[in-house]
Amino acid sequence: MISRNGVRINRRPYVHVDSQTVRDTAMSYRALGILTYLLDQSEDWQVKSEQLSKGEGREGRDAVRKALHELARRGHYRLERRRFRNGQNAMGTAISEFRVEQWAKDYVTFGENLTVPVVEQEDGSFQVHYPDGSFGTDGFTTEAAGAEPDLDDELEEETPAEEPETPASPALKPSQVAKPAAAKKAPAKKATPKASAEEPKEAAAQKAAEKALLDADAEEVAKWWWADAEKRYGPYVGDKHGYLGMRKQVRNALEKGYTKNQCGKALIRAAKHWPSAQQWQDALGIVANHIQPRNAGGRVPYSDAATWGGPGDSTSIIPGATNGPPPSTPADDDHDDATFGIVERP
């Protein structure tokens, strides 16, 4: 202890967090706590707001999502839609214990969306693919490291200290000081009009990219459900625009922040090819844990298929699911050793 009234600390294996991050007064304690928790996880751990909101003393999913957006805004967190050189795609999470200025800028560039597309390069690194087709650093290079401002400060402090040690030459000192100053100002003046001119194009391209992504995700869920519902309930014989109406419901839900997996579960709960608006809203609320299931008689109606499984169960995987659907338990799969029948008595 440095002093008698100082702090005593019990130390164990710890999570390293940059001191500037801890002292960032623009970040809430909630966001700082979630960042610390994420940094303590293994690399194969998947970041999910639903998982972060579970457990005693945890805050709700909406609070967690707001904190993740705050971390993204401060340059500590983002989701990456990764495209690999072999053509495969995957979603992953990027976390930084220090502030990455490029991440904060990308959060604004992509319309305050957590997801940023990145493309694998020949050396195994990644670059961000911007809406205008250009590529930029992913923030993991040394040039984008959070320590860069500190290095600049040190260089600026060292420069005047070294000048007096050089041979006294009044004619050289002004030129030495003026040249770097002019070099620093020139790029700044040239870059400003270019950035301002490209902003409308980037915003329009970003909106188009987001719309295309929403349309593709909605189409994926809708196609899956239309085929799955036909197996469950038979061919659809309702309104000819039923598929389009159902797909629009899914797209609206995705646009509001629901996941593809939640939309799939909600369609299963609604138990209709094309649920009504109220049925759809109730089903989404239940799968997202916003409302409790309601039963008119206070009891859940009995169903052989729901209890034991059967031909009506779908074996297809809901879009966006990380695991397959829970297996049904038909009678053929029973592994009990018990034998049922009439016992003959002597």
Side-chain angles (χ1 to χ4, degrees), residues 73-88:
R73 190 179 303 109
R74 300 298 301 161
H76 294 279
Y77 170 86
R78 71 183 182 189
L79 297 175
E80 293 180 335
R81 188 178 296 277
R82 299 165 184 163
R83 188 174 74 219
F84 296 91
R85 295 180 61 197
N86 61 3
Q88 295 181 344

Side-chain angles (χ1 to χ4, degrees), residues 13-324:
Y14 59 90
V15 178
H16 185 276
V17 183
D18 188 79
S19 180
Q20 291 185 357
T21 300
V22 176
R23 298 178 182 275
D24 185 359
T25 56
M27 186 187 303
S28 67
Y29 286 129
R30 172 194 293 167
L32 180 60
I34 290 180
L35 175 62
T36 305
Y37 181 78
L38 296 180
L39 291 172
D40 192 40
Q41 306 304 317
S42 60
E43 292 185 1
D44 60 349
W45 194 77
Q46 294 183 350
V47 180
K48 296 181 179 179
S49 57
E50 292 183 1
Q51 183 68 23
L52 291 172
S53 63
K54 291 180 180 179
E56 185 177 357
R58 304 300 188 191
E59 297 184 87
R61 188 184 59 177
D62 290 341
V64 171
R65 283 183 173 177
K66 289 180 180 179
L68 292 178
H69 274 276
E70 181 180 345
L71 290 175
R73 190 179 303 109
R74 300 298 301 161
H76 294 279
Y77 170 86
R78 71 183 182 189
L79 297 175
E80 293 180 335
R81 188 178 296 277
R82 299 165 184 163
R83 188 174 74 219
F84 296 91
R85 295 180 61 197
N86 61 3
Q88 295 181 344
N89 296 277
M91 286 292 294
T93 305
I95 306 170
S96 177
E97 67 182 41
F98 52 81
R99 174 181 171 87
V100 182
E101 294 293 341
Q102 189 59 45
W103 290 12
K105 293 177 182 178
D106 289 345
Y107 179 74
V108 176
T109 300
F110 286 91
E112 298 188 350
N113 192 327
L114 294 178
T115 305
V116 175
V118 296
V119 181
E120 185 184 21
Q121 305 301 303
E122 292 184 1
D123 60 356
S125 64
F126 288 87
Q127 285 194 342
V128 178
H129 188 194
Y130 290 100
D132 62 354
S134 63
F135 292 85
T137 175
D138 67 346
F140 281 92
T141 58
T142 55
E143 292 80 6
E148 184 182 1
D150 295 339
L151 295 176
D152 290 343
D153 293 340
E154 290 178 6
L155 291 175
E156 290 176 2
E157 292 176 1
E158 290 175 0
T159 302
E162 292 175 357
E163 286 178 0
E165 296 177 4
T166 58
S169 178
L172 294 176
K173 284 184 178 179
S175 61
Q176 290 175 346
V177 176
K179 286 181 180 179
K184 288 183 179 179
K185 290 181 180 179
K189 292 180 179 179
K190 293 179 181 179
T192 302
K194 290 182 180 179
S196 59
E198 293 177 356
E199 283 180 0
K201 295 181 180 179
E202 292 180 357
Q206 172 61 19
K207 288 182 179 179
E210 291 179 356
K211 181 180 181 300
L213 182 61
L214 277 174
D215 291 340
D217 288 346
E219 182 69 18
E220 179 185 358
V221 176
K223 281 185 176 179
W224 162 81
W225 174 243
W226 209 247
D228 197 82
E230 186 169 344
K231 296 177 184 177
R232 292 170 177 266
Y233 315 116
Y236 180 70
V237 294
D239 191 297
K240 63 178 181 179
H241 300 297
Y243 176 80
L244 298 178
M246 179 269 298
R247 186 180 64 183
K248 184 177 180 180
Q249 287 179 328
V250 173
R251 191 189 186 285
N252 290 340
L254 293 173
E255 192 173 9
K256 295 298 183 181
Y258 291 94
T259 66
K260 292 189 292 183
N261 188 247
Q262 287 176 328
C263 290
K265 291 180 179 178
L267 287 167
I268 293 175
R269 172 166 284 276
K272 297 286 180 64
H273 287 80
W274 178 22
S276 67
Q278 186 62 51
Q279 289 170 337
W280 179 235
Q281 187 64 54
D282 288 347
L284 284 172
I286 292 172
V287 299
N289 296 322
H290 292 159
I291 61 176
Q292 294 296 323
R294 295 179 298 177
N295 296 304
R299 297 180 180 178
V300 178
Y302 176 78
S303 169
D304 281 340
T307 304
W308 305 106
D313 288 346
S314 172
T315 57
S316 60
I317 299 176
I318 301 174
T322 55
N323 298 312

